[in-house]
Amino acid sequence: MRRLMRFAGLLLLLGALGVALYLCWDYRQFESAPLAVGEASQSFEVASGDSLARIVARVRQQGLSNAPDQYWRVLGWRSDTARRLQVGEYEIKPGTTALEFLQQLHAGRVRQYRFTVVEGWNIRELRAALATRSDLVQRLAGADDAEMMQLLDRPGAHPEGRFLPETYAFVRGSSDIDVLKRAATAMDRAVERAWSERAPGVVVKTPEEALILASVIEKETGKASERRRIAGVFSRRLQRGMLLQTDPTVIYGVGDAYAGNITRVHLATDTPYNTYTRAGLPPTPIAMPGVDALRAAVDPAPGEELYFVARGDGSHEFTANLAAHNAAVAKYQLGRR
């Protein structure tokens, strides 16, 4: 009987040891195995007040894991993550393990969205692009430009050209105003930086003039390599009191009357932005210039060129006198028409 009892006890001990070894192995598998995310990333929300147990329940609801709660508690204790799981929306990528998932929530590495302000956009195009974003809180709906600038803490400022072309990351819950505030601050800094590095004797006299000229350069540039050369043409024309005679300013001035082709009527229509009828720079920027256009405005290329005409391939033919310019127009514009 004693031998039988010892044998039974040994069996129980071996069974318990086997169960323990299995649970240890199973836990290790859980800790290192990827969550069931699938081929595409999944979003996961952690709300204010969520406990680890509530988060694990949501993990199970989303089909990410069916591991028992005890495994998650042990994992949270071993990784020292369970005490501080931060609120936000998270992107769970394919291949993410349970441990990496808790570390992500603990570190607050929330999902990042991106919005790009494109070089050369005007304020209408920028606002239209923002309005399409369902991942942004739309605070600008129904607000005109003046109200928008009020919301940006820039009352009375003209909105054109005030937002730096760049890609801005944001998290869910951010608003269109949040993105614009960052873009406006970035433009302030870019203008300040460019102005501090301006070349001696540059024709623009203030940072505002540099921003306006940069916006015109941006709209005229088909190839990045030509920015400083175009800036040189405009700078020399301004120095000599010549009209800038640049089509993008005319197009901006006529607004909705422009349907894709600039006409003689457009060129003859006097607006504050028509540089065929008015001397000097337009009164405001006409688009959002990038950093390179800002640098070109304050450091134009030297030379004698006073004219340029589009070749039709994105580049321009630069000339130093009217006769050569007229010949280039005949070759690249009239001939093509």
Side-chain angles (χ1 to χ4, degrees):
M1 179 63 72
R2 287 180 180 177
R3 287 180 180 178
L4 185 61
M5 290 179 65
R6 287 174 185 170
F7 182 68
L10 181 60
L11 286 178
L12 287 173
L13 180 62
L14 289 174
L17 181 60
V19 170
L21 287 173
Y22 170 78
L23 289 175
C24 184
W25 173 85
D26 193 45
Y27 170 81
R28 291 292 186 182
Q29 291 293 107
F30 152 74
E31 186 179 277
S32 59
L35 298 174
V37 176
E39 295 182 0
S41 298
Q42 283 195 36
S43 290
F44 190 89
E45 290 271 358
V46 176
S48 179
D50 274 357
S51 63
L52 177 61
R54 193 174 298 176
I55 289 170
V56 170
R58 199 171 304 125
V59 164
R60 201 168 287 121
Q61 287 172 1
Q62 290 189 208
L64 294 170
S65 172
N66 60 2
D69 292 355
Q70 294 90 330
Y71 284 13
W72 285 97
R73 285 199 293 270
V74 170
L75 180 59
W77 171 74
R78 290 187 70 248
S79 61
D80 195 29
T81 57
R83 290 180 299 174
R84 188 167 178 264
L85 300 174
Q86 300 192 50
V87 171
E89 181 193 17
Y90 295 84
E91 181 181 15
I92 314 303
K93 297 180 179 179
T96 300
T97 66
L99 175 59
E100 290 169 340
F101 172 67
L102 286 189
Q103 289 172 334
Q104 185 178 355
L105 271 58
H106 180 72
R109 294 193 295 270
V110 294
R111 184 173 188 173
Q112 298 281 314
Y113 295 87
R114 285 171 174 78
F115 178 79
T116 300
V117 180
V118 177
E119 291 178 346
W121 268 359
N122 61 36
I123 190 61
R124 293 191 304 275
E125 291 168 318
L126 173 54
R127 292 195 59 173
L130 280 170
T132 67
R133 297 297 295 258
S134 60
D135 46 16
L136 282 169
V137 177
Q138 297 291 330
R139 292 182 57 197
L140 287 176
D144 61 22
D145 286 349
E147 292 167 329
M148 176 186 72
M149 297 309 285
Q150 185 80 35
L151 289 169
L152 291 172
D153 301 322
R154 296 169 184 251
H158 194 280
E160 199 63 78
R162 308 295 167 182
F163 308 98
L164 186 69
E166 197 172 283
T167 297
Y168 298 91
F170 61 92
V171 299
R172 184 171 291 280
S174 300
S175 71
D176 46 10
I177 288 292
D178 295 327
V179 173
L180 287 181
K181 280 185 175 180
R182 292 172 56 200
T185 299
M187 180 61 88
D188 290 343
R189 291 172 179 165
V191 172
E192 182 181 355
R193 189 180 310 116
W195 187 247
S196 69
E197 298 170 355
R198 65 191 182 279
V202 69
V203 67
V204 286
K205 302 304 180 188
T206 65
E208 179 68 12
E209 288 187 359
L211 177 60
I212 294 171
L213 179 57
S215 74
V216 180
I217 294 166
E218 190 69 74
K219 293 301 290 184
E220 280 284 17
T221 303
K223 290 194 171 182
S225 59
E226 293 185 347
R227 282 194 181 96
R228 291 187 66 237
R229 208 169 172 187
I230 288 173
V233 170
F234 287 143
S235 295
R236 284 185 288 278
R237 291 180 76 94
L238 289 169
Q239 286 169 339
R240 300 184 186 195
M242 298 173 65
L243 296 174
L244 289 184
Q245 295 183 318
T246 171
D247 292 357
T249 62
V250 176
I251 292 168
Y252 187 84
V254 298
D256 293 339
Y258 178 71
N261 290 308
I262 194 163
T263 67
R264 292 183 181 275
V265 172
H266 293 142
L267 297 176
T269 301
D270 183 51
T271 74
Y273 293 89
N274 190 335
T275 53
Y276 283 83
T277 61
R278 300 199 183 193
L281 292 166
T284 73
I286 62 170
M288 313 295 167
V291 170
D292 290 338
L294 286 166
R295 289 172 178 160
V298 298
D299 187 21
E304 299 299 322
E305 297 153 339
L306 293 170
Y307 305 89
F308 60 85
V309 63
R311 291 191 179 114
D313 61 357
S315 68
H316 294 86
E317 181 79 9
F318 293 84
T319 51
N321 59 68
L322 185 57
H325 174 65
N326 287 338
V329 170
K331 179 179 179 180
Y332 293 107
Q333 297 292 324
L334 300 180
R336 189 165 70 246
R337 291 171 189 168

